[in-house]
Amino acid sequence: MLEDEIVPCPICDNELKVKVMKTGSYPTKTTYIISDDCSKCKSKSSKIEILLNKRNRGIPAKVERSYFKLDPRG
């Protein structure tokens, strides 16, 4: 489901109108969809979208290490 939201530009802190898609249960994954370029710093919408989505990836899942000792010889 898409929601309208206003977020700051990651480059110049100008207010941008974006569409936000939140998926999943806890923790929710937030994906930003931007249609317009920034009017203040003239950055492309694709670049801003990449920066916003990269910033909000969330915490990666922890992986348990094996209790077996790894052979250093390969």
Side-chain angles (χ1 to χ4, degrees), residues 20 27 35 50-51 60:
V20 178
S35 58
I50 290 169
L51 290 173

Side-chain angles (χ1 to χ4, degrees), residues 10-11 32-38 43-53:
I11 299 167
Y32 293 99
I33 301 169
I34 302 170
S35 58
D36 298 330
D37 297 341
C38 182
S43 296
K44 299 271 186 193
S45 60
S46 59
K47 181 179 178 182
I48 296 171
E49 188 172 320
I50 290 169
L51 290 173
L52 283 174
N53 288 328

Side-chain angles (χ1 to χ4, degrees), residues 20-65:
V20 178
M21 181 172 53
K22 295 184 180 183
T23 56
S25 57
Y26 180 80
T28 59
K29 180 180 177 186
T30 305
T31 305
Y32 293 99
I33 301 169
I34 302 170
S35 58
D36 298 330
D37 297 341
C38 182
S39 59
K40 187 175 179 184
C41 65
K42 307 295 185 207
S43 296
K44 299 271 186 193
S45 60
S46 59
K47 181 179 178 182
I48 296 171
E49 188 172 320
I50 290 169
L51 290 173
L52 283 174
N53 288 328
K54 187 177 185 180
R55 184 174 67 183
N56 293 314
R57 282 192 182 157
I59 301 168
K62 291 184 178 180
V63 178
E64 291 184 24
R65 295 194 61 154

